[in-house]
C-alpha cells in the first residue's frame, strides 16, 4: 500500500530504500506506541502535522482482488515501474523476494506523516517490524550510526531511529518532524500530540478501520478532515468528518435530501447531487454562489425557493468533433412558479450582461419577455460563448455555451432550472417535475452519485482529438488524461451521503463500488 504514497524531496527509489534500510542499535521500547483504536497513531505525532496516513494489515489489502484496478491506477500515478524495480533491488540485497519483503516489513502497521515548515515539507514514515528482520538489515546493510543512536545515510539523504518494534524514517536534511516524532514515542502522555486536537476527537471514537487519513486544510478553508476506509465485498467504504473555517461547499442542516430524485437521475449523466437550499450568507468563493451573485440573486428570489435543489453534470459533443465537453444544470424548487419565471428571466439577463461587460463586449441581446403562462415548459437561452471565449483565452469548452433556463411544474412540484446547455436543462426539468419527493430516511442533507465509468469515457473522448484542447505537443497531456481516465474508471460508481452541522462541520459516508456495473447490479 505504500506504493500509493508520494514521499517528497527524495526519489522514489530513495524513499523505498529508506523505509527498509533501518540500521538498529539497542534502544528502549516505545513508551507511547500507536494504539489499536481509531486514529490511535495520532498520539505518536506532533500536533502540527498537516497530513497523516495509517494503513494496518496492508498485506490483506494487497491480497484483495477487488482493489487490483485501483492499485494499478495509483501505482501508475506514483511511477510503479521505478518503484517496483527499486523494491526488487532492495529485496535482492536482503536475499528475498519483493513480496516477502513487503509482507515482513510493511504488512502489519505503517504510518506516513507530513508537516509544512519554513516553506518546506518534512516527512516521517513509521513501520512495525520484528527483531529478526532488523537484525537482517543491520548485517546486510551495515549502516553508519549517528548521534543518539540515529542512523544516517548521507548518500540517500535518509535518517532512521529504532523504537522497538517501530522503525522511524525521515529525511536527513530536514529532521525536525523525525525528531518530534521520536520525542512523542518517548513521551508519557498525549499532551502536545495530534491526538488531543479537538477536531480529531469525535473521529477517535469510531470503530478502527484499516486505512485512516488526517488532513489539515490550508487557509482560508482551514480546519481538519478525518476519514477512515475499509474494503467490503467489492465496495470501498469511507467515513469522514470535516470541520472548516470557511467551508468550500454549503451544506445546511435540517433539510433531508431527496432520494427519489437522485434515483430517477441515476445513470443519466456523469454525476448527480440532491441537497437543500443554503439559507446563510452567499460566498463568492463558492462556485454556485458566485454565479448566483453575479446575476443579482436577491432576497426575494431566496424567499421563493422551496426545500429542494438538484444538480446534474453531464457532457455533450463539441460541434464538429468527437470531443465531449462538460455541461451542468441546477434545479431550484420554487414556491410561486409564475413569480419565479420573472425572477429567473431577469437573473439570466443580468448574468449574461455582466459576463459580457467583464469580457469587454457589448451586453448580449436578451430574448424577448413572455406573457403569463407562455414561459412554462419552454427552454429559453442566451448565447454567452463569445464572452466566455474572451474571458478564457478561447478555451474550447467555452465554444457554443448557452445560458439556458426553464420553469416546469408537475407531480414533483414547481421548479426553475438553469444551466450551460439547453438540452440538459430540458432533461433535468422534465425529471424533477415528474418525480415525487422521498426524503432520505437517515436525514442526510446531501446525496450524490458519480459514475466513474462515464467520467472515464468522457475523459478518453479528449484523446480522440487532443490537438483541439492543447497547444503544441500533446504527449504529456494525453498521458495525464489517460491516467485520470484509468483512475476514474477503476471506481465504476461512487455514492455518498453527507450532513451539515453548526460550526462548519460536515460528516458523511461514501461507497466506492469497485465491481463492474453488471456485478454491482446483480449484488443489489
Amino acid at each position: 500500500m505504500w506504493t500509493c504514497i508520494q514521499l517528497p524531496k527524495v526519489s522514489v527509489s530513495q524513499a523505498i530504500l529508506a523505509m527498509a534500510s533501518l540500521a538498529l542499535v539497542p534502544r528502549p521500547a516505545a513508551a507511547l506506541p500507536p494504539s489499536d483504536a481509531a486514529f490511535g497513531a495520532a498520539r505518536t505525532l506532533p500536533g502540527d502535522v498537516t497530513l497523516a496516513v495509517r494503513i494496518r494489515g496492508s498485506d490483506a489489502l494487497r491480497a484483495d482482488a477487488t482493489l487490483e484496478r485501483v492499485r494499478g491506477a495509483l501505482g501508475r500515478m506514483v511511477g510503479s515501474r521505478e518503484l517496483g524495480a527499486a523494491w526488487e533491488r532492495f529485496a535482492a540485497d536482503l536475499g528475498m523476494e519483493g513480496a516477502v519483503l513487503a509482507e515482513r516489513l510493511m504488512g502489519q502497521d505503517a504510518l506516513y506523516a507530513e508537516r509544512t515548515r519554513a516553506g518546506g515539507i518534512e516527512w516521517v514514515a513509521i513501520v512495525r517490524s520484528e527483531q529478526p528482520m532488523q537484525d537482517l538489515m543491520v548485517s546486510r546493510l551495515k549502516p553508519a550510526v549517528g548521534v543518539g543512536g540515529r542512523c544516517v545515510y548521507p548518500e540517500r539523504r535518509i535518517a532512521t531511529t529504532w523504537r522497538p518494534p517501530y522503525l522511524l524514517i525521515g529525511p536527513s536534511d530536514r529532521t525536525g518532524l523525525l525528531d518530534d516524532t521520536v520525542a512523542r514515542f518517548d513521551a508519557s502522555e498525549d499532551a502536545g500530540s495530534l491526538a488531543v486536537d479537538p477536531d480529531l476527537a469525535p473521529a477517535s471514537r469510531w470503530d478502527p478501520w484499516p486505512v485512516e487519513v488526517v488532513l489539515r486544510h490550508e487557509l482560508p478553508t482551514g480546519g481538519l478532515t478525518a476519514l477512515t476506509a475499509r474494503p467490503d465485498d467489492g465496495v470501498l467504504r469511507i467515513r469522514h468528518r470535516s470541520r472548516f473555517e470557511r467551508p468550500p461547499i454549503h451544506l445546511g442542516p435540517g433539510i433531508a435530501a431527496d432520494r427519489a430524485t437522485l434515483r430517477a437521475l441515476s445513470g443519466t449523466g456523469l454525476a448527480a447531487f440532491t441537497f437543500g437550499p443554503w439559507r446563510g450568507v452567499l460566498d463568492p468563493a463558492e462556485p454556485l454562489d458566485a454565479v448566483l451573485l453575479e446575476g443579482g440573486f436577491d432576497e426575494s428570489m431566496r424567499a421563493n425557493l422551496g426545500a429542494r435543489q438538484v444538480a446534474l453534470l453531464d457532457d455533450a459533443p463539441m460541434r464538429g468533433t468527437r470531443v465531449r465537453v462538460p455541461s451542468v444544470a441546477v434545479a431550484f424548487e420554487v414556491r410561486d412558479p409564475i413569480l419565479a419565471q420573472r425572477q429567473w428571466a431577469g437573473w439570466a439577463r443580468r448574468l449574461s450582461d455582466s459576463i459580457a461587460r467583464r469580457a469587454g463586449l457589448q451586453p448580449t441581446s436578451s430574448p424577448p419577455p413572455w406573457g403569463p403562462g407562455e414561459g412554462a415548459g419552454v427552454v429559453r437561452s442566451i448565447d454567452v460563448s463569445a464572452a466566455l471565449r474572451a474571458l478564457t483565452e478561447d478555451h474550447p469548452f467555452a465554444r457554443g455555451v448557452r445560458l439556458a433556463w426553464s420553469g416546469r411544474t408537475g407531480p414533483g412540484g414547481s421548479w426553475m432550472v438553469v444551466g450551460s446547455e439547453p438540452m440538459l436543462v430540458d432533461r433535468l426539468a422534465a425529471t424533477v417535475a415528474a418525480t415525487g419527493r422521498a426524503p432520505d430516511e437517515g436525514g442526510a442533507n446531501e446525496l450524490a452519485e458519480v459514475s466513474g465509468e462515464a467520467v472515464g469515457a468522457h475523459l478518453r473522448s479528449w484523446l480522440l482529438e487532443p490537438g483541439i484542447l492543447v497547444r503544441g505537443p500533446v504527449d504529456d497531456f494525453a498521458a495525464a488524461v489517460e491516467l485520470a481516465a484509468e483512475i476514474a474508471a477503476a471506481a465504476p460508481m461512487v455514492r455518498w451521503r453527507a450532513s451539515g452541522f453548526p460550526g462548519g462541520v460536515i460528516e458523511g459516508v461514501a461507497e466506492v463500488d469497485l465491481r463492474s456495473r453488471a456485478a454491482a447490479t446483480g449484488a443489489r
Side-chain angles (χ1 to χ4, degrees), residues 372-395:
E374 293 178 3
V378 176
V379 178
R380 303 177 73 83
S381 66
I382 302 173
D383 188 348
V384 294
S385 60
L388 291 178
R389 292 174 70 174
L391 290 171
T392 61
E393 298 182 348
D394 197 23
H395 194 286

PDB file of all heavy atoms in Angstrom, residues 372-395:
ATOM      1  N   PRO A 372     -47.923  35.986 -19.411  1.00  0.00           N
ATOM      2  CA  PRO A 372     -48.271  34.996 -18.384  1.00  0.00           C
ATOM      3  C   PRO A 372     -48.515  33.616 -18.994  1.00  0.00           C
ATOM      4  O   PRO A 372     -49.278  33.477 -19.958  1.00  0.00           O
ATOM      5  CB  PRO A 372     -49.545  35.567 -17.759  1.00  0.00           C
ATOM      6  CG  PRO A 372     -49.467  37.043 -18.037  1.00  0.00           C
ATOM      7  CD  PRO A 372     -48.795  37.157 -19.381  1.00  0.00           C
ATOM      8  N   GLY A 373     -47.848  32.610 -18.455  1.00  0.00           N
ATOM      9  CA  GLY A 373     -48.054  31.236 -18.880  1.00  0.00           C
ATOM     10  C   GLY A 373     -47.261  30.813 -20.082  1.00  0.00           C
ATOM     11  O   GLY A 373     -47.117  29.627 -20.341  1.00  0.00           O
ATOM     12  N   GLU A 374     -46.695  31.763 -20.832  1.00  0.00           N
ATOM     13  CA  GLU A 374     -46.011  31.374 -22.054  1.00  0.00           C
ATOM     14  C   GLU A 374     -44.640  30.756 -21.789  1.00  0.00           C
ATOM     15  O   GLU A 374     -44.111  30.053 -22.634  1.00  0.00           O
ATOM     16  CB  GLU A 374     -45.851  32.595 -22.971  1.00  0.00           C
ATOM     17  CG  GLU A 374     -47.168  33.120 -23.504  1.00  0.00           C
ATOM     18  CD  GLU A 374     -46.966  34.354 -24.359  1.00  0.00           C
ATOM     19  OE1 GLU A 374     -45.802  34.745 -24.567  1.00  0.00           O
ATOM     20  OE2 GLU A 374     -47.958  34.930 -24.816  1.00  0.00           O
ATOM     21  N   GLY A 375     -44.060  31.038 -20.587  1.00  0.00           N
ATOM     22  CA  GLY A 375     -42.723  30.535 -20.331  1.00  0.00           C
ATOM     23  C   GLY A 375     -42.701  29.137 -19.762  1.00  0.00           C
ATOM     24  O   GLY A 375     -41.664  28.478 -19.788  1.00  0.00           O
ATOM     25  N   ALA A 376     -43.807  28.653 -19.204  1.00  0.00           N
ATOM     26  CA  ALA A 376     -43.813  27.356 -18.556  1.00  0.00           C
ATOM     27  C   ALA A 376     -43.499  26.247 -19.552  1.00  0.00           C
ATOM     28  O   ALA A 376     -44.134  26.151 -20.605  1.00  0.00           O
ATOM     29  CB  ALA A 376     -45.176  27.115 -17.906  1.00  0.00           C
ATOM     30  N   GLY A 377     -42.526  25.430 -19.223  1.00  0.00           N
ATOM     31  CA  GLY A 377     -42.163  24.297 -20.067  1.00  0.00           C
ATOM     32  C   GLY A 377     -41.299  24.644 -21.244  1.00  0.00           C
ATOM     33  O   GLY A 377     -40.905  23.751 -21.999  1.00  0.00           O
ATOM     34  N   VAL A 378     -40.984  25.921 -21.455  1.00  0.00           N
ATOM     35  CA  VAL A 378     -40.157  26.346 -22.584  1.00  0.00           C
ATOM     36  C   VAL A 378     -38.732  26.575 -22.094  1.00  0.00           C
ATOM     37  O   VAL A 378     -38.515  27.186 -21.058  1.00  0.00           O
ATOM     38  CB  VAL A 378     -40.707  27.640 -23.210  1.00  0.00           C
ATOM     39  CG1 VAL A 378     -39.792  28.135 -24.321  1.00  0.00           C
ATOM     40  CG2 VAL A 378     -42.121  27.407 -23.727  1.00  0.00           C
ATOM     41  N   VAL A 379     -37.766  26.068 -22.859  1.00  0.00           N
ATOM     42  CA  VAL A 379     -36.366  26.335 -22.547  1.00  0.00           C
ATOM     43  C   VAL A 379     -35.919  27.570 -23.316  1.00  0.00           C
ATOM     44  O   VAL A 379     -36.025  27.615 -24.538  1.00  0.00           O
ATOM     45  CB  VAL A 379     -35.466  25.136 -22.912  1.00  0.00           C
ATOM     46  CG1 VAL A 379     -34.006  25.467 -22.617  1.00  0.00           C
ATOM     47  CG2 VAL A 379     -35.896  23.889 -22.159  1.00  0.00           C
ATOM     48  N   ARG A 380     -35.490  28.574 -22.609  1.00  0.00           N
ATOM     49  CA  ARG A 380     -35.003  29.789 -23.229  1.00  0.00           C
ATOM     50  C   ARG A 380     -33.505  29.878 -22.973  1.00  0.00           C
ATOM     51  O   ARG A 380     -32.998  29.348 -21.982  1.00  0.00           O
ATOM     52  CB  ARG A 380     -35.739  31.008 -22.671  1.00  0.00           C
ATOM     53  CG  ARG A 380     -37.255  30.910 -22.842  1.00  0.00           C
ATOM     54  CD  ARG A 380     -37.961  32.089 -22.225  1.00  0.00           C
ATOM     55  NE  ARG A 380     -37.784  33.313 -23.007  1.00  0.00           N
ATOM     56  CZ  ARG A 380     -38.522  33.631 -24.065  1.00  0.00           C
ATOM     57  NH1 ARG A 380     -39.462  32.803 -24.508  1.00  0.00           N
ATOM     58  NH2 ARG A 380     -38.328  34.769 -24.705  1.00  0.00           N
ATOM     59  N   SER A 381     -32.784  30.559 -23.854  1.00  0.00           N
ATOM     60  CA  SER A 381     -31.332  30.594 -23.700  1.00  0.00           C
ATOM     61  C   SER A 381     -30.746  31.849 -24.323  1.00  0.00           C
ATOM     62  O   SER A 381     -31.364  32.484 -25.187  1.00  0.00           O
ATOM     63  CB  SER A 381     -30.693  29.351 -24.333  1.00  0.00           C
ATOM     64  OG  SER A 381     -30.874  29.350 -25.746  1.00  0.00           O
ATOM     65  N   ILE A 382     -29.532  32.185 -23.858  1.00  0.00           N
ATOM     66  CA  ILE A 382     -28.762  33.306 -24.376  1.00  0.00           C
ATOM     67  C   ILE A 382     -27.372  32.784 -24.723  1.00  0.00           C
ATOM     68  O   ILE A 382     -26.750  32.086 -23.913  1.00  0.00           O
ATOM     69  CB  ILE A 382     -28.649  34.436 -23.337  1.00  0.00           C
ATOM     70  CG1 ILE A 382     -30.036  34.924 -22.907  1.00  0.00           C
ATOM     71  CG2 ILE A 382     -27.816  35.586 -23.876  1.00  0.00           C
ATOM     72  CD1 ILE A 382     -29.989  35.919 -21.753  1.00  0.00           C
ATOM     73  N   ASP A 383     -26.883  33.115 -25.904  1.00  0.00           N
ATOM     74  CA  ASP A 383     -25.546  32.698 -26.316  1.00  0.00           C
ATOM     75  C   ASP A 383     -24.515  33.546 -25.579  1.00  0.00           C
ATOM     76  O   ASP A 383     -24.415  34.752 -25.797  1.00  0.00           O
ATOM     77  CB  ASP A 383     -25.393  32.860 -27.827  1.00  0.00           C
ATOM     78  CG  ASP A 383     -24.086  32.270 -28.344  1.00  0.00           C
ATOM     79  OD1 ASP A 383     -23.207  31.948 -27.516  1.00  0.00           O
ATOM     80  OD2 ASP A 383     -23.948  32.129 -29.574  1.00  0.00           O
ATOM     81  N   VAL A 384     -23.753  32.921 -24.696  1.00  0.00           N
ATOM     82  CA  VAL A 384     -22.713  33.641 -23.948  1.00  0.00           C
ATOM     83  C   VAL A 384     -21.317  33.159 -24.351  1.00  0.00           C
ATOM     84  O   VAL A 384     -20.338  33.469 -23.684  1.00  0.00           O
ATOM     85  CB  VAL A 384     -22.912  33.469 -22.426  1.00  0.00           C
ATOM     86  CG1 VAL A 384     -24.193  34.143 -21.966  1.00  0.00           C
ATOM     87  CG2 VAL A 384     -22.913  31.993 -22.040  1.00  0.00           C
ATOM     88  N   SER A 385     -21.231  32.418 -25.433  1.00  0.00           N
ATOM     89  CA  SER A 385     -19.948  31.809 -25.810  1.00  0.00           C
ATOM     90  C   SER A 385     -18.897  32.859 -26.179  1.00  0.00           C
ATOM     91  O   SER A 385     -17.712  32.697 -25.839  1.00  0.00           O
ATOM     92  CB  SER A 385     -20.143  30.831 -26.961  1.00  0.00           C
ATOM     93  OG  SER A 385     -20.675  31.479 -28.102  1.00  0.00           O
ATOM     94  N   ALA A 386     -19.290  33.942 -26.852  1.00  0.00           N
ATOM     95  CA  ALA A 386     -18.301  34.948 -27.247  1.00  0.00           C
ATOM     96  C   ALA A 386     -17.632  35.563 -26.031  1.00  0.00           C
ATOM     97  O   ALA A 386     -16.400  35.729 -25.991  1.00  0.00           O
ATOM     98  CB  ALA A 386     -18.965  36.027 -28.102  1.00  0.00           C
ATOM     99  N   ALA A 387     -18.427  35.907 -25.031  1.00  0.00           N
ATOM    100  CA  ALA A 387     -17.859  36.496 -23.823  1.00  0.00           C
ATOM    101  C   ALA A 387     -16.988  35.496 -23.074  1.00  0.00           C
ATOM    102  O   ALA A 387     -15.891  35.832 -22.596  1.00  0.00           O
ATOM    103  CB  ALA A 387     -18.978  37.005 -22.921  1.00  0.00           C
ATOM    104  N   LEU A 388     -17.450  34.250 -22.956  1.00  0.00           N
ATOM    105  CA  LEU A 388     -16.669  33.251 -22.245  1.00  0.00           C
ATOM    106  C   LEU A 388     -15.363  32.935 -22.968  1.00  0.00           C
ATOM    107  O   LEU A 388     -14.327  32.724 -22.325  1.00  0.00           O
ATOM    108  CB  LEU A 388     -17.497  31.981 -22.055  1.00  0.00           C
ATOM    109  CG  LEU A 388     -18.678  32.092 -21.088  1.00  0.00           C
ATOM    110  CD1 LEU A 388     -19.439  30.777 -21.032  1.00  0.00           C
ATOM    111  CD2 LEU A 388     -18.193  32.492 -19.687  1.00  0.00           C
ATOM    112  N   ARG A 389     -15.389  32.927 -24.283  1.00  0.00           N
ATOM    113  CA  ARG A 389     -14.159  32.688 -25.038  1.00  0.00           C
ATOM    114  C   ARG A 389     -13.168  33.817 -24.824  1.00  0.00           C
ATOM    115  O   ARG A 389     -11.960  33.594 -24.698  1.00  0.00           O
ATOM    116  CB  ARG A 389     -14.471  32.504 -26.518  1.00  0.00           C
ATOM    117  CG  ARG A 389     -15.240  31.226 -26.816  1.00  0.00           C
ATOM    118  CD  ARG A 389     -15.662  31.120 -28.260  1.00  0.00           C
ATOM    119  NE  ARG A 389     -14.519  30.891 -29.141  1.00  0.00           N
ATOM    120  CZ  ARG A 389     -14.629  30.642 -30.445  1.00  0.00           C
ATOM    121  NH1 ARG A 389     -15.834  30.595 -31.007  1.00  0.00           N
ATOM    122  NH2 ARG A 389     -13.553  30.427 -31.176  1.00  0.00           N
ATOM    123  N   ALA A 390     -13.678  35.036 -24.743  1.00  0.00           N
ATOM    124  CA  ALA A 390     -12.786  36.174 -24.488  1.00  0.00           C
ATOM    125  C   ALA A 390     -12.192  36.105 -23.088  1.00  0.00           C
ATOM    126  O   ALA A 390     -11.032  36.468 -22.875  1.00  0.00           O
ATOM    127  CB  ALA A 390     -13.549  37.482 -24.679  1.00  0.00           C
ATOM    128  N   LEU A 391     -12.962  35.624 -22.121  1.00  0.00           N
ATOM    129  CA  LEU A 391     -12.502  35.559 -20.738  1.00  0.00           C
ATOM    130  C   LEU A 391     -11.556  34.387 -20.495  1.00  0.00           C
ATOM    131  O   LEU A 391     -10.782  34.398 -19.529  1.00  0.00           O
ATOM    132  CB  LEU A 391     -13.691  35.450 -19.788  1.00  0.00           C
ATOM    133  CG  LEU A 391     -14.568  36.698 -19.652  1.00  0.00           C
ATOM    134  CD1 LEU A 391     -15.820  36.378 -18.861  1.00  0.00           C
ATOM    135  CD2 LEU A 391     -13.781  37.826 -18.976  1.00  0.00           C
ATOM    136  N   THR A 392     -11.629  33.346 -21.335  1.00  0.00           N
ATOM    137  CA  THR A 392     -10.838  32.129 -21.113  1.00  0.00           C
ATOM    138  C   THR A 392      -9.789  31.897 -22.192  1.00  0.00           C
ATOM    139  O   THR A 392      -9.308  30.775 -22.339  1.00  0.00           O
ATOM    140  CB  THR A 392     -11.769  30.900 -21.060  1.00  0.00           C
ATOM    141  OG1 THR A 392     -12.462  30.773 -22.323  1.00  0.00           O
ATOM    142  CG2 THR A 392     -12.789  31.025 -19.936  1.00  0.00           C
ATOM    143  N   GLU A 393      -9.412  32.948 -22.902  1.00  0.00           N
ATOM    144  CA  GLU A 393      -8.417  32.830 -23.977  1.00  0.00           C
ATOM    145  C   GLU A 393      -8.832  31.764 -24.991  1.00  0.00           C
ATOM    146  O   GLU A 393      -8.039  30.913 -25.402  1.00  0.00           O
ATOM    147  CB  GLU A 393      -7.035  32.515 -23.403  1.00  0.00           C
ATOM    148  CG  GLU A 393      -6.507  33.604 -22.487  1.00  0.00           C
ATOM    149  CD  GLU A 393      -5.110  33.291 -21.959  1.00  0.00           C
ATOM    150  OE1 GLU A 393      -4.649  32.139 -22.120  1.00  0.00           O
ATOM    151  OE2 GLU A 393      -4.486  34.205 -21.383  1.00  0.00           O
ATOM    152  N   ASP A 394     -10.113  31.824 -25.363  1.00  0.00           N
ATOM    153  CA  ASP A 394     -10.684  30.939 -26.380  1.00  0.00           C
ATOM    154  C   ASP A 394     -10.559  29.461 -26.008  1.00  0.00           C
ATOM    155  O   ASP A 394     -10.220  28.619 -26.830  1.00  0.00           O
ATOM    156  CB  ASP A 394     -10.016  31.188 -27.742  1.00  0.00           C
ATOM    157  CG  ASP A 394     -10.844  30.597 -28.886  1.00  0.00           C
ATOM    158  OD1 ASP A 394     -12.065  30.406 -28.698  1.00  0.00           O
ATOM    159  OD2 ASP A 394     -10.259  30.306 -29.954  1.00  0.00           O
ATOM    160  N   HIS A 395     -10.867  29.162 -24.761  1.00  0.00           N
ATOM    161  CA  HIS A 395     -10.855  27.756 -24.355  1.00  0.00           C
ATOM    162  C   HIS A 395     -11.936  27.002 -25.132  1.00  0.00           C
ATOM    163  O   HIS A 395     -13.064  27.485 -25.270  1.00  0.00           O
ATOM    164  CB  HIS A 395     -11.114  27.617 -22.857  1.00  0.00           C
ATOM    165  CG  HIS A 395     -10.789  26.255 -22.329  1.00  0.00           C
ATOM    166  ND1 HIS A 395     -11.582  25.153 -22.565  1.00  0.00           N
ATOM    167  CD2 HIS A 395      -9.737  25.809 -21.592  1.00  0.00           C
ATOM    168  CE1 HIS A 395     -11.055  24.088 -21.989  1.00  0.00           C
ATOM    169  NE2 HIS A 395      -9.933  24.455 -21.387  1.00  0.00           N
TER     170      HIS A 395
END
